[in-house]
Amino acid sequence: MKVGVIGAGTMGSGIAQAFAQCAEVETVYLCDIKEEFAEGGFNKIKGGLDKRVAKGKMEQAAADAITNKIKTGLNTICVDADLIVEAALENMEIKKNCFKELQDNIVKNPDCIFASNTSSLSITEIGSGLSKPVIGMHFFNPAPVMKLVEVIAGINTPVEVVDKVKEISVALGKTPVQVNEAAGFVVNRILVPMINEGICVYAAGVSDIEGIDNAMKLGCNHPMGPLELGDFIGLDIVLAIMDVIYAETGDSKYRACPLLRKMVRGKRLGCKTGIGFYNYA
Ligand code: CAA
């Protein structure tokens, strides 16, 4: 199987690695709007694998086998892809244009499946006006490690495509959970309001940053506290998901905390900008 991953950011590069680790995948095309962005994603994967080799957790040959499958470039290299997983910016127009270009001008394989890793946008809307159906194939950060894939069917996604994507998820060593289209799907509908509430609790002065995170880690056995997890996901992504769920449901319980919005406006996005609730510099 040949897989094209569109977008070489945190999620795209993690998804590319997850596919390259799968025996049934022969090639992964890791693409972005500039070749250097795609190469940056590749270097991130290679850096992570090099660390595992240095720690004695992986053989060099196994790491090489993964990186040798990954080819980087612009979307135009996906000509013979069997599956496209789009992990571009969380912007409806960008996603729609990207699929249109792939379906109409680039991918020549008539059986190619077109999937989006969107974390909250409507799959039906992404697919509207396109010649081929789109499905949601939602991975979790870090994608090579996390076991879940949410498989989201839009109203026009054929059952055969849903079944095939579930099958591919199992081949990747993941567990697919089929989800009906709804803002935030299952995980983000529950997780992101919890992170938002963690920020509200902090803004209200109930406890400090470490106190809130320790409370949820030790009191609920969560691997990361809500503020640490918000920094890890990216506070811009957390805000975008809150805004989509609020806009789609109109329910005030999904209103983003003003402190979250302020931090995003101030580019305090978490790990990726070096500062969020914690300092990563
Ligand atoms: N890429 C590849 N592998 C990674 C990795 C990465 N970015 N980060 C960690 N790992 C691997 C490590 O190499 C290690 O593997 P081994 O056990 O084979 O050595 C394993 O994961 C555990 O890592 P660590 O020992 O370094 O650290 P940890 O035990 O603290 O686990 C964690 C790290 C897996 C990130 C854990 O803290 C965790 O599960 N956090 C919660 C993550 C979470 O909730 N993700 C979902 C976010 S929501 C989302 O993604 C959806 C969305 O749309 C916003």
Side-chain angles (χ1 to χ4, degrees):
M1 182 169 58
K2 293 179 178 170
V3 182
V5 179
I6 310 299
T10 306
M11 287 311 291
S13 56
I15 292 167
Q17 182 181 335
F19 276 106
Q21 287 174 181
C22 172
E24 289 175 31
V25 172
E26 60 187 280
T27 307
V28 177
Y29 300 119
L30 179 56
C31 309
D32 212 309
I33 50 169
K34 286 190 180 170
E35 296 204 5
E36 63 257 41
F37 293 168
E39 280 158 23
F42 175 84
N43 290 335
K44 207 165 146 211
I45 297 169
K46 191 169 179 317
L49 293 171
D50 285 347
K51 275 192 199 148
R52 290 183 63 86
V53 171
K55 283 187 193 161
K57 289 186 167 179
M58 185 180 251
E59 295 291 326
Q60 186 63 54
D64 291 345
I66 295 168
T67 49
N68 286 342
K69 287 187 192 178
I70 304 173
K71 315 260 175 282
T72 59
L74 306 180
N75 296 4
T76 44
I77 64 175
C78 293
V79 180
D80 57 351
D82 301 293
L83 169 69
I84 296 284
V85 181
E86 170 277 317
L89 293 179
E90 280 295 277
N91 174 292
M92 185 59 82
E93 278 319 296
I94 290 176
K95 288 187 190 295
K96 283 176 91 103
N97 290 338
C98 172
F99 279 116
K100 189 159 178 44
E101 189 203 14
L102 285 158
Q103 293 187 356
D104 293 354
N105 302 325
I106 297 174
V107 178
K108 302 296 176 217
N109 173 5
D111 300 321
C112 181
I113 291 176
F114 294 88
S116 174
N117 178 58
T118 180
S119 46
S120 64
L121 297 174
S122 161
I123 298 299
T124 303
E125 175 63 28
I126 294 174
S128 81
L130 297 178
S131 44
K132 302 224 167 109
V134 172
I135 186 165
M137 190 175 190
H138 186 211
F139 290 82
F140 294 81
N141 189 13
V145 176
M146 303 300 277
K147 293 289 177 207
L148 175 67
V149 174
E150 282 181 321
V151 177
I152 306 115
I155 200 163
N156 297 318
T157 312
V159 170
E160 312 83 77
V161 174
V162 175
D163 290 344
K164 185 70 192 166
V165 168
K166 283 188 191 165
E167 214 178 274
I168 293 169
S169 304
V170 172
L172 285 177
K174 312 282 187 201
T175 300
V177 168
Q178 191 177 333
V179 176
N180 292 324
E181 182 169 309
F185 315 130
V186 170
V187 172
N188 284 341
R189 179 75 166 256
I190 298 170
L191 179 72
V192 175
M194 186 202 72
I195 294 170
N196 187 61
E197 193 58 29
I199 300 169
C200 291
V201 166
Y202 172 62
V206 179
S207 185
D208 61 10
I209 293 168
E210 286 81 7
I212 293 165
D213 279 346
N214 277 336
M216 292 305 289
K217 281 196 282 194
L218 303 177
C220 301
N221 245 0
H222 289 188
M224 290 176 168
L227 306 178
E228 184 189 6
L229 186 54
D231 276 1
F232 180 67
I233 292 171
L235 296 174
D236 53 336
I237 305 284
V238 171
L239 177 61
I241 296 169
M242 285 305 291
D243 283 346
V244 167
I245 302 177
Y246 182 42
E248 289 278 328
T249 61
D251 191 329
S252 63
K253 73 180 174 183
Y254 298 118
R255 207 160 40 199
C257 176
L259 175 61
L260 169 61
R261 202 175 295 283
K262 199 194 304 185
M263 289 181 73
V264 172
R265 285 177 176 152
K267 299 280 178 288
R268 294 182 177 223
L269 307 183
C271 304
K272 63 182 159 189
T273 56
I275 186 159
F277 288 101
Y278 295 88
N279 201 331
Y280 303 89

